[in-house]
Amino acid sequence: WAKRAMWLLIAVAIIWAGYHYLYVVPAERGQSRLAQELKNQATEQQESIGILRERINAASGELEKALQSVPAAVLPQARRLSDDTRQSLDSAARQLGAAEKLGSVAGVDPKTSKTNGAKIQQRLAERKGIIDRAQADLKGALAAIQSIRSLGTELNDLDSLRAEALKAAREKGVAEKIDALYNNALSAVKSGDLETAKTARLALQYTRDMLGQEYTLQIVSRPGSPSGVWRYPVDSRTGRNYYLIVEAVSPSGQRLKLPITSEEDGKVRAVNEWGLRVAPHAYEQVRQDKEEDGIVNKKIVGIKKRGYLTPEYTVDTMGGAITQW
């Protein structure tokens, strides 16, 4: 009986040890892990709240500095933007206050994490949602502050671009075009429409840059590349439009990439080569020239001088272009 009792005790001990190490210990470790994860999340959230408060206070100071730097011409628009900015900052501060009212969960006990874990996780999820909303409000406020700064920057850039473009202009009628672009951009800036202002400024900048360029327009004459193409017009299958494939070459021999508007789809593309629409007899002359020896001997079809927007063409052009063929 003693031997039987001993074996029974050994069996019970083995069962207890197996249960303890296979079930109890992993469960305790899981509870400890969960408790630590919850503590970490709570600590990170509390740190985020502190950082966001500092950023909100800093943004308020940046807003005042931005307003002080804005020229008087765009001050009304800047003030409207600043009102929206202050509302966003106030909203972010309120969100942080709501997050703090949920209380801290950093002292969670591993022994109670099993029963309270779900509630704590729900509270952390609520705090995260509130903090995310505060971050979104702050992001909107910072974007508005940047827009306020941009009002002054755009205005200063426009004045400089206009002065540089007018100084470079030599072609008749270009000054009027420059002033029209400037006035459109200025009107957009004063109305607070920064997207339109940016587009108009880029158009003025492009005009300034083009006035400073000089190049020759040459017919492409390389193996495997066409020197001319013809197309049916969009609304006709009887007539033909004729194009010479050209490229712009700088005085140093560099091939330039220029924005060209296609008359077929109205899209503007930056290209190294495009089709210049010409009169049928001009196209025919180039075709015969290339048929003689496989190359185009009279390649130059136009010269773009510095201070001009329009090239001086040596062939009869029809005022159109294509960018794909």
Side-chain angles (χ1 to χ4, degrees), residues 229-237 239-243 245 260-269 274-277 319-325:
V229 295
W230 62 266
R231 307 284 278 268
Y232 288 117
V234 176
D235 56 353
S236 173
R237 298 298 293 178
R240 292 183 180 183
N241 291 338
Y242 295 90
Y243 302 89
I245 308 304
I260 303 297
T261 303
S262 172
E263 65 178 358
E264 293 184 330
D265 57 16
K267 294 183 178 179
V268 180
R269 299 179 178 88
W274 66 95
L276 176 67
R277 188 176 173 188
I322 57 174
T323 54
Q324 297 175 331
W325 51 87

Side-chain angles (χ1 to χ4, degrees), residues 111-119:
K111 295 180 181 179
T112 60
S113 62
K114 183 177 182 180
T115 56
N116 298 333
K119 293 181 180 179

